[in-house]
Amino acid sequence: MNKQNFFYRVYDLYADGFRNMTLGRTLWAIILIKLFVMFAILKVFFFPNFIKEHADKGEEPEFVATQTLNVER
């Protein structure tokens, strides 16, 4: 690959930066673990698929429309 190519220079900048990290690797590991916990574990236990449980297959758009239009104030 041509070393004057913009994408190569950007890749080289980030690759060199991550290669020389010490504290940054630990921080990135913590960030990735937190994201995994938030999106994988919390979603399963705290955010059930409400539409799938209450609407028939193929009727999901109508269910959402009726639920959003029938909001009690």
Side-chain angles (χ1 to χ4, degrees):
M1 185 179 281
N2 185 3
K3 293 193 184 253
Q4 297 301 325
N5 186 355
F6 173 75
F7 296 110
Y8 177 79
R9 292 190 328 219
V10 169
Y11 169 77
D12 191 43
L13 174 75
Y14 282 102
D16 189 41
F18 282 112
R19 192 177 308 120
N20 293 328
M21 267 191 213
T22 53
L23 177 64
R25 281 190 185 159
T26 306
L27 295 175
W28 274 109
I30 292 170
I31 290 169
L32 292 175
I33 290 168
K34 284 176 130 182
L35 286 172
F36 174 76
V37 167
M38 284 191 314
F39 288 110
I41 296 173
L42 291 178
K43 183 185 180 316
V44 170
F45 292 110
F46 294 109
F47 301 107
N49 194 344
F50 187 79
I51 296 173
K52 187 176 182 181
E53 293 173 1
H54 293 87
D56 296 329
K57 184 152 180 87
E59 301 293 322
E60 293 91 355
E62 289 82 11
F63 175 75
V64 172
T66 57
Q67 292 298 312
T68 54
L69 295 176
N70 293 333
V71 174
E72 295 182 25
R73 294 177 192 210

